[in-house]
Amino acid sequence: MAFPSPSTPLYEKMSLKKDAKRAVEIFILFLLVSLLGYRLAHLKDHGLEWQVALACESWFAFVWVLVISTKWSPVSYKTYPQRILQRVTELPPVDIFVTTADPQLEPPIITVNTVLSLMAVNYPAHKLACYVSDDGCSPLTFYSLVEAAKFAKLWVPFCKKYDIQLRAPSRYFAGNAAALSGEDCSSEFQQARDTMRDEYEKLSRKIEDASQGSVPSDFTGELAAFAKAERGDHPSIIKIILENKEGRPDELPHLIYISREKRPKHPHHYKAGAMNVLTRVSGLMTNAPFMLNVDCDMHANNPQIVLHALCLLLGAKHERDCAFVQCPQIFYDALKDDPFGNQMVVLFEYLGRGIVGIQGPFYAGTGCFHRRKVIYGLWPDDTKTKNSGLTSNGEVTKERSLNGFGSAKQFINSAAHALRGNSDHPKDLLSSLEAAIQVASCTYEHNTDWGKKIGWMYGSATEDILTGLTIQSKGWRSLYCSPNPPAFLGCAPSGGPASMTQQKRWATGLLEVLASNKSPIYGTLFGQLHFRQCLGYLWLLTWALRSIPEFLYALLPAYCIMTNSHFLPKGQEPAILIPAAIFIIYNLYCLSEYLMTGLSMRAWWNNQRMQRITSACAWSFGVLSVVLKLLGLSETVFEVTKKDQSASSDGTGTELGRFTFDESPIFVPGTALLLVHLTAIVAMLLGLRPQASGNNGSGLGEVVCTVWVVLCFWPFFRGLFGKGKYGIPSTTIVKGAILAIAVVCLSRFTSTS
């Protein structure tokens, strides 16, 4: 493989900084500092509510500093995939990893569409290998992939012959594909498309019938391996579904099914453990220098995506400038105006591109291209000495650096080749099957460096952030790939429970990273993590901690109304202009970001209220989970988010996008907070408040803040009177009421003491 010369670049880096935006951010920081100065100057004249406000606003100012630093130097990259073939003599192999864990929460038809889209990308088939990790050990998932492989023999040639742009069949047949893909309307094409539609419907029916139990219950043939397998107790199962034995570029890529061994008394480390097994098995079978990993719902939306990513991986002047290439997470069939605040469009556009301009984007767990040798623990400086730890012919030495890879000599030899920049591998996949089963066993990682120094890192529910942080702490940089059309499209969680579950898992995992010895502070002090990159990580890792000051600050208006005190400057004081200006300017600033991104004012409001709900509910439980783990009382659990194949984005139903509830305790804090504020409003209207001393009673500012909180938690207000999944369960209301009564009693006690 020849690397490109620097004459014509494969990509361009473009600065996106805007001075006017920077000025507004600095002015908001000035107002926050002014407010803190005012509170400190009058601290002796006020009580508890003033002190709590000072502590919370100090935290908000700190977070705003992190935001400014992160957003300060946004950049974007433009790639030129058409230049690659002019610059290299041979395209490098790429291994593709698709992970799924539960056929109920992640229906196999979704996984099948993702796999089909990846097998059909514009790249030589003999240079691709697709590995599917099934952590649910589901015969349904395996059967679906076998049937999909048969359909792929028709689908992939069809896509390449007619240059189809949407290569996930469910997406292609879901709408006006001809208009989207610029297809011709010839009779030949129409007939071919109708045939594909019929074949895909047959595939879908087969998978649907199998999900009802008609096929997987017959454990014969290839399904025999699943006969005695239980989800958490089974041997390694590796099946070669498709193999491009002749190495022809116009055939289909390899397709391999993997369900790693699991035993009840052996830790399996959730997705990180699955990724490490995929890395080892693929290292034995194909050993490609580059690896792409995607979640089972994240299908390839741009058929040129591999070439786009290689522009960055091969076009960087030095390998240390590009350890991995991250693509943004974008969602298909997204509900209009983002009612659950989880589409993250603005976050990726501003904070995401800001991080890109420092040391590179965070690893987001999906849609990412990795250098295999970086995943194997290589440091940037090691790229200068390619033969370190190896003999001249690439065989394993006694060097301690390779002992951490485990005991399988065949795999260690493949790792040695990868670390030297070679992609040597067996000519046929079957010859490495026995060794692959060995490295997929649950005991293989004992006394090795897997999860510690090699592979995906263990110790957090957000293994992606921890792994990316570990890589960047060594001095590696990363690059951002956002082609048009988008590289990958996935499905965002719909409904309250799914959104809260995802946010809780993220908050828990991020706080675990912050509390570990791999935190960004360690990476900056003792590693090579850039200082501003450290600040960017701190903004992300403190999501869970933000729930504490935000919850207390949200309680303050109701507390002040019930005790007839105030935490804001009085209306006649000029200082009232400071918090008023912060409130108005900050919200206008956020609104402008949404409007400039092409979103609506309603989308801005939905994200604002969901931010408050997420903080009070999901993030607070994330803190609780980590505290219990640190105390040794419980272990954090990786909760799989339910995937929905399709959700209408232009529906007109009155319930579309309405917040839903279940009996999870995660909704108790939000319910309690709302009830406290409703109690405060009732107490104010009925005059059930103590007399204020002097001119220190609550004023208009506290009332406005209380109304604002109620508006933010309006989905919970509707839930108090809703029915079915749209109503808050009575048990949750009772628990929330108990907490609310406790807060009211506590406020009464503090006001009289």
Side-chain angles (χ1 to χ4, degrees):
M1 180 180 67
F3 286 89
S5 64
S7 55
T8 55
L10 295 178
Y11 69 88
E12 289 184 29
K13 180 179 179 181
M14 299 173 289
S15 175
L16 302 175
K17 60 184 179 182
K18 298 178 181 178
D19 293 336
K21 197 169 185 297
R22 286 180 170 183
V24 174
E25 292 164 356
I26 293 296
F27 185 61
I28 292 175
L29 179 61
F30 169 75
L31 292 174
L32 285 169
V33 173
S34 300
L35 181 58
L36 294 178
Y38 175 80
R39 290 207 183 276
L40 285 171
H42 297 81
L43 190 60
K44 295 181 180 179
D45 303 330
H46 298 84
L48 176 64
E49 62 278 356
W50 203 265
Q51 298 168 5
V52 172
L54 174 63
C56 294
E57 288 161 358
S58 298
W59 174 264
F60 300 153
F62 168 70
V63 172
W64 189 245
V65 170
L66 300 182
V67 170
I68 292 177
S69 172
T70 304
K71 290 183 174 182
W72 195 254
S73 51
V75 300
S76 180
Y77 292 95
K78 180 177 177 58
T79 52
Y80 300 98
Q82 69 276 11
R83 296 179 181 176
I84 285 190
L85 296 178
Q86 305 169 6
R87 301 272 302 279
V88 298
T89 57
E90 184 179 1
L91 291 172
V94 178
D95 288 339
I96 302 172
F97 302 157
V98 180
T99 51
T100 183
D102 189 322
Q104 299 300 318
L105 297 176
E106 299 171 332
I109 190 64
I110 294 180
T111 304
V112 160
N113 272 274
T114 296
V115 170
L116 288 170
S117 70
L118 292 166
M119 294 177 70
V121 294
N122 290 339
Y123 205 74
H126 67 300
K127 296 289 186 178
L128 294 176
C130 184
Y131 297 83
V132 180
S133 170
D134 176 20
D135 252 14
C137 192
S138 167
L140 173 61
T141 300
F142 173 68
Y143 170 80
S144 300
L145 289 171
V146 170
E147 293 301 317
K150 300 174 185 176
F151 175 70
K153 296 176 181 178
L154 301 174
W155 175 251
V156 173
F158 168 76
C159 290
K160 294 186 176 181
K161 178 179 180 180
Y162 295 104
D163 194 24
I164 304 300
Q165 295 302 301
L166 296 176
R167 300 197 177 180
S170 66
R171 305 299 308 145
Y172 177 72
F173 295 120
N176 187 358
L180 292 173
S181 305
E183 299 161 351
D184 60 49
C185 296
S186 65
S187 58
E188 178 190 1
F189 168 73
Q190 294 283 354
Q191 183 178 0
R193 188 175 64 181
D194 291 342
T195 300
M196 285 300 106
R197 180 184 288 109
D198 293 340
E199 292 296 328
Y200 178 68
E201 289 176 354
K202 291 178 183 178
L203 172 65
S204 300
R205 283 196 300 270
K206 285 183 179 180
I207 295 175
E208 178 62 27
D209 291 342
S211 67
Q212 304 301 323
S214 60
V215 176
S217 60
D218 182 17
F219 293 108
T220 58
E222 290 291 334
L223 290 174
F226 298 89
K228 298 181 180 180
E230 298 180 10
R231 178 173 177 176
D233 187 7
H234 62 85
S236 300
I237 301 175
I238 301 178
K239 298 288 187 180
I240 301 170
I241 300 175
L242 284 176
E243 181 177 5
N244 190 339
K245 293 183 178 181
E246 297 180 3
R248 295 179 57 180
D250 57 348
E251 291 291 330
L252 295 178
H254 302 315
L255 177 60
I256 300 97
Y257 170 91
I258 302 171
S259 185
R260 58 189 171 127
E261 181 184 17
K262 284 188 178 181
R263 300 300 178 191
K265 295 184 179 180
H266 291 271
H268 56 85
H269 302 292
Y270 307 108
K271 183 180 176 181
M275 293 300 300
N276 284 335
V277 169
L278 284 169
T279 303
R280 293 195 294 270
V281 172
S282 66
L284 284 166
M285 290 188 165
T286 47
N287 206 27
F290 303 112
M291 306 179 294
L292 162 65
N293 88 277
V294 296
D295 289 341
C296 65
D297 65 310
M298 195 69 63
H299 68 260
N301 183 66
N302 188 325
Q304 299 273 64
I305 180 52
V306 178
L307 296 175
H308 280 286
L310 287 179
C311 286
L312 299 165
L313 288 163
L314 302 181
K317 292 183 179 179
H318 306 285
E319 284 191 351
R320 69 177 300 142
D321 293 333
C322 188
F324 60 84
V325 172
Q326 179 64 57
C327 301
Q329 292 190 39
I330 304 175
F331 305 101
Y332 62 83
D333 277 354
L335 291 171
K336 184 180 179 181
D337 298 327
D338 193 8
F340 302 109
N342 54 14
Q343 295 172 22
M344 302 182 290
V345 176
V346 171
L347 185 146
F348 275 109
E349 181 64 27
Y350 294 101
L351 282 157
R353 293 189 184 275
I355 283 289
V356 173
I358 307 175
Q359 198 175 342
F362 304 145
Y363 169 38
T366 183
C368 188
F369 291 81
H370 305 267
R371 292 188 191 273
R372 182 180 289 272
K373 58 186 177 183
V374 174
I375 292 296
Y376 280 172
L378 198 72
W379 286 68
D381 293 338
D382 294 339
T383 59
K384 301 175 183 177
T385 55
K386 294 185 179 180
N387 292 327
S388 177
L390 307 172
T391 64
S392 59
N393 62 356
E395 292 298 315
V396 182
T397 69
K398 300 294 184 181
E399 291 285 343
R400 191 175 179 181
S401 60
L402 292 176
N403 290 343
F405 284 84
S407 57
K409 185 175 181 180
Q410 186 177 347
F411 169 68
I412 297 175
N413 282 329
S414 77
H417 282 287
L419 289 169
R420 295 182 67 225
N422 299 331
S423 58
D424 183 65
H425 60 85
K427 296 303 179 182
D428 66 289
L429 302 182
L430 281 175
S431 64
S432 57
L433 187 57
E434 183 178 349
I437 292 174
Q438 178 188 353
V439 299
S441 70
C442 61
T443 58
Y444 182 80
E445 293 182 354
H446 290 179
N447 299 319
T448 70
D449 290 332
W450 287 97
K452 304 169 188 174
K453 299 178 182 179
I454 302 171
W456 273 255
M457 297 293 108
Y458 299 154
S460 169
T462 51
E463 79 297 323
D464 46 5
I465 293 296
L466 180 56
T467 301
L469 172 58
T470 302
I471 291 171
Q472 292 183 330
S473 293
K474 294 178 180 179
W476 290 100
R477 301 178 67 92
S478 56
L479 296 179
Y480 191 66
C481 184
S482 55
N484 184 25
F488 302 97
L489 292 181
C491 54
S494 59
S499 298
M500 293 299 104
T501 297
Q502 184 184 66
Q503 289 285 345
K504 177 195 170 186
R505 187 182 75 238
W506 288 350
T508 301
L510 294 172
L511 191 54
E512 286 175 324
V513 176
L514 183 64
S516 72
N517 58 4
K518 290 185 173 69
S519 76
I521 298 174
Y522 279 82
T524 298
L525 294 178
F526 307 108
Q528 299 180 43
L529 188 71
H530 295 191
F531 176 69
R532 284 183 56 211
Q533 190 78 1
C534 173
L535 297 183
Y537 271 110
L538 288 177
W539 169 81
L540 182 68
L541 300 182
T542 54
W543 275 9
L545 292 180
R546 286 165 58 179
S547 64
I548 300 173
E550 289 187 13
F551 194 86
L552 291 175
Y553 206 70
L555 278 175
L556 269 181
Y559 171 85
C560 290
I561 289 176
M562 289 187 292
T563 59
N564 209 359
S565 58
H566 68 99
F567 77 102
L568 294 172
K570 299 298 291 183
Q572 61 270 23
E573 298 180 49
I576 188 63
L577 295 176
I578 300 177
I582 293 174
F583 179 81
I584 294 172
I585 295 174
Y586 173 75
N587 280 289
L588 289 176
Y589 165 86
C590 292
L591 176 60
S592 68
E593 288 189 330
Y594 280 81
L595 296 179
M596 287 189 293
T597 313
L599 301 177
S600 65
M601 183 179 294
R602 182 64 179 270
W604 162 77
W605 170 245
N606 286 338
N607 277 266
Q608 291 300 304
R609 65 176 178 79
M610 282 304 302
Q611 178 65 47
R612 306 285 78 77
I613 292 172
T614 299
S615 175
C617 298
W619 291 359
S620 60
F621 269 79
V623 173
L624 180 62
S625 297
V626 175
V627 169
L628 292 177
K629 178 183 177 181
L630 294 176
L631 293 176
L633 299 178
S634 71
E635 287 293 326
T636 55
V637 177
F638 188 96
E639 298 173 273
V640 180
T641 306
K642 188 180 188 320
K643 308 294 193 304
D644 296 317
Q645 184 178 1
S646 180
S648 176
S649 60
D650 56 358
T652 57
T654 57
E655 306 301 336
L656 187 63
R658 183 173 173 180
F659 202 85
T660 56
F661 302 88
D662 62 13
E663 295 186 353
S664 169
I666 205 169
F667 297 108
V668 172
T671 303
L673 183 61
L674 174 66
L675 293 176
V676 168
H677 279 274
L678 294 177
T679 301
I681 293 174
V682 171
M684 178 185 65
L685 294 176
L686 299 181
L688 304 176
R689 298 188 298 168
Q691 287 291 329
S693 56
N695 193 29
N696 291 324
S698 58
L700 180 62
E702 285 72 26
V703 175
V704 170
C705 289
T706 291
V707 173
W708 181 262
V709 173
V710 172
L711 289 176
C712 287
F713 283 82
W714 193 253
F716 281 73
F717 184 82
R718 295 183 67 185
L720 293 175
F721 309 100
K723 296 181 180 180
K725 65 179 181 179
Y726 301 112
I728 302 176
S730 57
T731 54
T732 302
I733 295 176
V734 170
K735 294 173 184 176
I738 293 173
L739 283 179
I741 292 171
V743 171
V744 172
C745 293
L746 183 62
S747 65
R748 292 289 187 180
F749 174 77
T750 56
S751 66
T752 56
S753 60

